[in-house]
Amino acid sequence: MGSHSHEVTDAILETLKRAGIGLKAADVRFALAGGCAAYARGAAPSLHDVDFVVPKDDIPLAAETLTGLGFRMAHPPEDWLVKAFDEEDHLVDLIFRVADRPVTADLIKRAEPLKANAVILPVLEATDLVISWLLPLSEHSCDYGSLLPQVRALREQVDWNRVASVAAPSPYAATFLT
């Protein structure tokens, strides 16, 4: 890793901190997901953007909160997330559906408070995090290579029986598990 990727990682972590503190202060129900969540759970940093899962009902408050912090909101054609960009164009994804399943209050409740860049934020429970990576796998997006190190780093924290039962209907997720 060159120094440039460290700068990128530090900048993403700053964005994470600002957005996370803001969402927490506004009482938005959310949890950290994606690469930043894996990092908070001990995986190597592979940080390109910040992913938060948010129940759909809380998206307007989350968007208003980030706008108030100087983020620029964007509504992409995909109908499962909204995007927020900070002044340096670092991206925060507010995800309200994962693989056609709505983000639920229960999912958020299972999240655990962990330290991410010196702030305590709710982080997706390891099992839910792995499920969130496996369910979207398809013939069009089937990048086992980047997932393996992340999943391996979390393996002790994961309830593999729950992963297997949720992933069973997806041939790509099931293949990954074997």
Side-chain angles (χ1 to χ4, degrees), residues 136-145 147 172:
L137 291 173
S138 69
E139 62 183 314
H140 303 296
S141 138
C142 195
D143 182 5
Y144 292 161
L147 271 183
Y172 296 95

Side-chain angles (χ1 to χ4, degrees), residues 22-104:
L23 293 175
K24 216 169 140 174
D27 282 330
V28 174
R29 294 175 298 171
F30 74 98
L32 186 59
C36 289
Y39 179 58
R41 292 195 158 278
S46 158
L47 312 179
H48 311 290
D49 53 20
V50 179
D51 294 317
F52 290 123
V53 287
V54 179
K56 194 168 189 183
D57 292 348
D58 284 36
I59 289 284
L61 177 58
E64 187 187 316
T65 302
L66 292 182
T67 302
L69 291 172
F71 285 78
R72 187 177 88 251
M73 300 306 300
H75 295 268
E78 301 91 344
D79 59 355
W80 46 272
L81 85 169
V82 294
K83 292 176 176 289
F85 296 90
D86 68 8
E87 294 84 348
E88 280 92 51
D89 266 353
H90 299 122
L91 171 62
V92 174
D93 280 335
L94 301 173
I95 298 165
F96 51 89
R97 285 213 321 268
V98 175
D100 288 330
R101 300 159 65 125
V103 170
T104 61

Side-chain angles (χ1 to χ4, degrees), residues 32-44 47 123 129 133 150 153-154 157:
L32 186 59
C36 289
Y39 179 58
R41 292 195 158 278
L47 312 179
V123 176
L129 186 57
W133 293 332
Q150 302 280 56
L154 303 184
Q157 305 171 42

